[in-house]
Amino acid sequence: MGGEAQNSSRWPPFILTGLPGLETSQHWLFLLLGVLYTISIAGNGLILFIIKEEQSLHQPMYYFLSLLSGNDLGVSFSTLPTVLAVFCFHLREISFNSCMSQMFFIHLFSFMESGILLAMSFDRYVAICNPLRYSTVLTDARVVWMGVCVFLRSFCMIFPLPFLLKRLPFCKANVLSHAYCLHPDLIRLPCGDTSINNIFGLSIVISTFGLDSALILLSYVLILRSVLAIASREERLKTLNTCVSHLCAVLIFYVPKVGVSMFARYGRHAPHYVHTLLSLIYLFVPPMLNPVIYSIKTKEIRRRLSKILLRTKF
């Protein structure tokens, strides 16, 4: 009994937060977030369905796109339960273990998205710089292997985080800054020594987001060098156009993430709801915009989507 009481005091429930100072408008915010969730879930679900049904899309580029869409669905479903509870039902308490589980999945899918975007940049590099070897380099088996590696890397990076938090005593305020559980938010609450957690957290961010973004940049430097060697201006533009969707996906993933990190470090005196809004943008915008971008820029997806819309209309 004494051990259970000690554990419950050591691992207290957490209190989730909506947007401080905007409590009276939270039902309108839920309507906005509901629209974003609907676009994200429906859009990514449609992308997966179209790639499955359209034989012409059974290519490595679209296999990676299906991985990205599946991952974006994971991001949306990871945050949906607590966002729904806070903004719609005003239920703000979450148990310690539930919070650890949500934190694990949010960061797992975030790290996986970075790895998938890196794999997609490699796909674009091979397609443009070594087109004759494309089918032999990016075989179906190799695409599956790359997807498994992205998952395993992300899982191994995130797996220790809940256990590193569980070893710490939680005796400070248990109010979180968001309507979901994030590691940078949770790490502020323990009253023990968090240096190991901070060092580990920084090391996995550098070895994933930092390394992935550097390799994506390198791949585009090589792509640009190859494109500039093409004599025809029209051919250069046509080749670069095949990268636009991926470049947009990279920007809408990394720019908000960099913004959140920079604002957390240098914008501490700004109103708290600004931090919350930036985090919402970081988690909500990429899953919502990725299917929109690829639907607009991919002719085969547009054509299949038009058929589906015409069928439902009649």
Side-chain angles (χ1 to χ4, degrees):
M1 292 294 290
E4 290 179 8
Q6 186 178 1
N7 279 342
S8 64
S9 63
R10 185 182 176 190
W11 298 338
F14 296 109
I15 305 299
L16 300 166
T17 305
L19 285 175
L22 299 177
E23 287 80 3
T24 56
S25 305
Q26 290 203 9
H27 57 289
W28 294 109
L29 288 168
F30 174 71
L31 288 176
L32 172 62
L33 295 176
V35 170
L36 298 183
Y37 272 123
T38 302
I39 295 172
S40 175
I41 293 170
N44 286 295
L46 269 174
I47 292 288
L48 289 171
F49 174 77
I50 290 170
I51 291 174
K52 176 181 177 295
E53 294 296 317
E54 191 71 38
Q55 288 294 323
S56 63
L57 299 180
H58 292 182
Q59 304 172 33
M61 174 182 174
Y62 299 106
Y63 293 150
F64 288 127
L65 176 56
S66 65
L67 285 177
L68 184 66
S69 293
N71 190 78
D72 284 340
L73 283 174
V75 172
S76 296
F77 285 121
S78 295
T79 58
L80 180 59
T82 52
V83 169
L84 186 69
V86 170
F87 287 99
C88 188
F89 300 109
H90 308 291
L91 301 174
R92 298 175 58 198
E93 187 172 286
I94 183 172
S95 69
F96 184 91
N97 287 328
S98 297
C99 193
M100 291 298 105
S101 298
Q102 185 181 50
M103 177 200 72
F104 174 83
F105 283 109
I106 288 175
H107 289 296
L108 173 70
F109 289 121
S110 181
F111 278 53
M112 283 182 63
E113 182 134 354
S114 179
I116 293 168
L117 290 172
L118 174 60
M120 294 175 84
S121 73
F122 178 70
D123 169 84
R124 291 298 82 209
Y125 165 75
V126 176
I128 293 171
C129 299
N130 294 285
L132 298 178
R133 298 183 58 199
Y134 183 79
S135 58
T136 57
V137 172
L138 285 169
T139 60
D140 289 353
R142 197 158 288 166
V143 170
V144 171
W145 178 79
M146 290 170 72
V148 170
C149 287
V150 167
F151 170 76
L152 289 177
R153 184 193 71 162
S154 304
F155 181 86
C156 292
M157 291 289 185
I158 300 301
F159 185 72
L161 288 182
F163 299 100
L164 288 173
L165 282 169
K166 280 189 173 185
R167 70 185 179 85
L168 298 169
F170 285 80
C171 51
K172 294 181 183 179
N174 62 340
V175 179
L176 299 176
S177 304
H178 309 287
Y180 36 79
C181 299
L182 297 175
H183 183 260
D185 201 14
L186 287 163
I187 201 62
R188 300 182 298 103
L189 302 180
C191 51
D193 182 14
T194 60
S195 57
I196 293 176
N197 299 66
N198 288 320
I199 292 169
F200 181 76
L202 180 62
S203 65
I204 62 174
V205 166
I206 293 172
S207 59
T208 51
F209 296 130
L211 180 61
D212 290 354
S213 58
L215 290 174
I216 290 171
L217 179 62
L218 175 62
S219 70
Y220 273 100
V221 168
L222 296 174
I223 286 170
L224 190 60
R225 188 179 69 175
S226 179
V227 168
L228 290 176
I230 300 172
S232 168
R233 182 174 179 272
E234 289 74 17
E235 283 298 316
R236 287 201 297 267
L237 292 174
K238 184 179 177 181
T239 303
L240 285 174
N241 191 51
T242 64
C243 301
V244 170
S245 299
H246 177 254
L247 269 174
C248 290
V250 169
L251 290 174
I252 63 175
F253 177 75
Y254 281 105
V255 170
K257 181 162 187 63
V258 171
V260 169
S261 302
M262 295 297 289
F263 210 86
R265 183 178 295 270
Y266 300 111
R268 295 178 182 176
H269 300 295
H272 185 75
Y273 66 81
V274 177
H275 295 265
T276 308
L277 281 172
L278 284 172
S279 295
L280 285 172
I281 291 170
Y282 162 59
L283 285 173
F284 281 80
V285 169
M288 180 194 69
L289 286 185
N290 282 336
V292 175
I293 291 167
Y294 277 94
S295 297
I296 292 171
K297 292 298 296 179
T298 308
K299 182 172 64 176
E300 292 85 352
I301 293 177
R302 280 203 316 272
R303 186 173 63 244
R304 184 74 185 202
L305 193 56
S306 299
K307 290 179 182 177
I308 293 171
L309 292 173
L310 286 171
R311 196 179 305 159
T312 55
K313 185 177 180 181
F314 294 105

